[in-house]
Amino acid sequence: MEGGFVAGRGGAEAVPERVKVVAMVAFVMALCNADRVVMSVAVVPLASVHGWSSSFLGIVQSSFLWGYFLSSLAGGVLTDKYGGKRVIACGAAVWSFATLLTPWAANHSTGMLLAVRALFGLAEGVALPSMTTLLSRWFPSHERASAVGLSMAGFHLGNVVSLLATPLVMSRTGVSGPFSLFGLLGLLWLSVWAFRITNDPRDSHLISVSELRLIQAGKTVRPSSASGFPPVRRLLSKLPTWAIILANVTNNWGYFVLLSWMPVYFKTVFDVNLKQAAWFSAIPFGAMAVSGYLAGSASDFLIKSGRSVTLVRKIMQSIGFIGPGIALLCLNFAGTPAVAALFMTAALSFGSFSQAGFLLNIQDIAPQYAGSLHGITNSVGTFSAIISTIGTGYFVQWLGSFQAFLTLTSVLYFISTIFFNIYATGEQVFF
């Protein structure tokens, strides 16, 4: 990064506008994950009150993904057409209200709870495509990996904050407390976002001339707003697209198994209480936030040093999948919660390198369709997450163990690594 995001002309400088943009994006990504993780913790006392089985827990956890699956593609198309600012603002408004409604829905009926969770997922499905499109417009190419790393660090820190805060808030206010807290924070963020951020730096009245020139000079491609529906058939006709799709499938499969089931895993396997389970679950996501930023910085450094974008994407993606695959195999042999947390930390820390792999590769091969392609790949990935989240519950109920599903997930990581290294490219494929 040139000057660490600072558009310098000597002396003290005001904070560059793109730094403010990535800070606001990182904050809403933190809320995005914090809101969904509340249920991963709250589901334990809710299951006790309502008598839910392990298999039904999987259905409750996956209901978020039903809506998420439906909105990923639509969110990507809307983002390409209208820009990330409006789309993510609408999404945050809806998911914040859905978060506030969740405790009421759980007490009203199971059907209402599943419907509210699906609405929540429908709204959150636009977050990642919006982030992808917005950052591609606000950052030069050689800073993009770091910008995504910072935003995704916020995303993962949302897990940490929610996992640690939810048990504490529930112990003082009951189950509804953390839902109210994070829902209101989303509405507060929205009030700032609406008046401070623009879709494109060229539309900002706050950006300096020097910073705008730096951003524009660092763009290898000028992304333009897409008109109409994206050419889905053409996007799906190339193997580099399928390399990204399989990587997204694998990433979502493994990530949502850990995200949805970690507190339950520690409670079931090691019989720790809810607050201890939250701590053991939070540590891996904290490490993931740090490693994701380091991966982005390393990626930008390698590209500025002359390494090809294709090589850098494949290196990052290989680390992002081989590492978690080995760690989850080792998790099968963990004898204490501390050792299990260590292996989960390794799995998620290595997994965050995928952000500088397939996630950035979307912008490489189709910059003008980045939101749409992200939506397409994320829709397929979300479907795999639904299967893995529900499947984990049934595996645990039938076999009384997490081991079989962890091994299956490891195998999928290794297969996806091979496919990505053969067919992925960092060159622009769609013009």
Side-chain angles (χ1 to χ4, degrees), residues 352-422:
S352 65
F353 278 72
S354 292
Q355 296 164 194
F358 85 87
L359 188 60
L360 278 170
N361 197 217
I362 294 170
Q363 299 175 30
D364 297 328
I365 70 170
Q368 74 275 44
Y369 297 116
S372 299
L373 184 56
H374 194 137
I376 293 169
T377 61
N378 210 37
S379 292
V380 182
T382 301
F383 184 71
S384 77
I386 293 172
I387 295 173
S388 69
T389 304
I390 296 176
T392 302
Y394 279 101
F395 264 68
V396 172
Q397 184 167 309
W398 291 339
L399 303 178
S401 169
F402 284 87
Q403 289 185 355
F405 215 78
L406 293 175
T407 302
L408 174 63
T409 302
S410 295
V411 171
L412 185 57
Y413 274 124
F414 299 141
I415 292 173
S416 296
T417 303
I418 295 170
F419 193 89
F420 192 88
N421 275 280
I422 294 174

Side-chain angles (χ1 to χ4, degrees), residues 5 15-32 88 131 134-135 138-139 146-155 157 189 192-193 196-197 211 293:
F5 290 149
V15 177
E17 282 304 305
R18 65 193 189 283
V19 174
K20 298 174 186 176
V21 170
V22 78
M24 289 293 289
V25 171
F27 189 83
V28 77
M29 296 306 289
L31 286 175
C32 177
I88 201 170
M131 179 199 76
L134 198 66
L135 296 182
W138 267 94
F139 285 85
S146 297
V148 170
L150 283 170
S151 298
M152 294 303 291
F155 188 71
L157 284 174
W189 170 88
V192 178
W193 177 266
R196 292 285 308 182
I197 305 300
E211 184 182 5
Y293 174 69

Side-chain angles (χ1 to χ4, degrees), residues 184-265:
L184 291 173
L185 281 175
L187 298 179
L188 177 63
W189 170 88
L190 187 62
S191 67
V192 178
W193 177 266
F195 298 103
R196 292 285 308 182
I197 305 300
T198 60
N199 281 320
D200 193 287
R202 292 171 294 184
D203 301 326
S204 175
H205 299 295
L206 302 173
I207 193 169
S208 68
V209 174
S210 60
E211 184 182 5
L212 183 59
R213 285 175 179 167
L214 185 149
I215 294 171
Q216 292 178 325
K219 295 288 183 67
T220 55
V221 177
R222 299 286 188 268
S224 57
S225 297
S227 58
F229 200 76
V232 176
R233 180 175 294 183
R234 187 160 69 91
L235 290 173
L236 295 178
S237 68
K238 305 292 184 181
L239 284 170
T241 299
W242 287 99
I244 294 173
I245 289 174
L246 183 57
N248 202 320
V249 164
T250 303
N251 182 72
N252 279 10
W253 178 288
Y255 181 79
F256 277 98
V257 165
L258 295 178
L259 179 68
S260 300
W261 286 96
M262 263 205 277
V264 179
Y265 169 85

Side-chain angles (χ1 to χ4, degrees), residues 302-345:
L302 290 172
I303 291 172
K304 284 189 288 184
S305 299
R307 304 299 191 278
S308 73
V309 175
T310 299
L311 176 62
V312 173
R313 297 292 182 252
K314 290 181 178 180
I315 289 172
M316 295 297 160
Q317 192 57 52
S318 296
I319 296 172
F321 276 1
I322 293 174
I326 294 173
L328 290 184
L329 287 177
C330 294
L331 183 61
N332 286 326
F333 303 99
T336 67
V339 173
L342 178 64
F343 286 132
M344 285 186 177
T345 300

